[in-house]
Amino acid sequence: MEENITKKLGLRIAKLRKERGWSQIEYASRCGISANYVGNIERGEYNPTIIVIEKLALGFNMTISELFKF
């Protein structure tokens, strides 16, 4: 069964964050959101709004479209 977009996004964010050697706390700080929220997104438990998705992309210094390159 194909993974849903929420799970794919969470896995992508976790991968990018770990590649940079950042903790969830450090990445959350860069994004201006809580570390708990980042954890929930990474596990695919939350479906972030477009505003949060923009913050997540900017936290990696990338565009939203780059963030969604699975």
Side-chain angles (χ1 to χ4, degrees):
M1 184 171 161
E2 189 174 326
E3 292 179 290
N4 70 38
I5 190 78
T6 305
K7 187 70 173 171
K8 285 182 182 179
L9 178 61
L11 291 171
R12 169 87 166 136
I13 289 167
K15 178 179 183 283
L16 291 169
R17 178 181 60 75
K18 290 173 186 175
E19 285 175 354
R20 287 160 174 77
W22 298 341
S23 67
Q24 286 181 342
I25 293 169
E26 183 175 358
Y27 177 56
S29 176
R30 291 171 182 269
C31 297
I33 61 177
S34 77
N36 286 338
Y37 196 27
V38 169
N40 289 325
I41 292 169
E42 287 186 357
R43 290 187 299 276
E45 296 171 356
Y46 282 7
N47 185 5
T49 65
I50 193 68
I51 301 297
V52 173
I53 290 169
E54 180 181 44
K55 289 179 180 185
L56 294 168
L58 292 174
F60 289 126
N61 196 30
M62 61 176 49
T63 65
I64 291 172
S65 62
E66 289 172 322
L67 184 62
F68 278 87
K69 288 184 181 174
F70 302 129

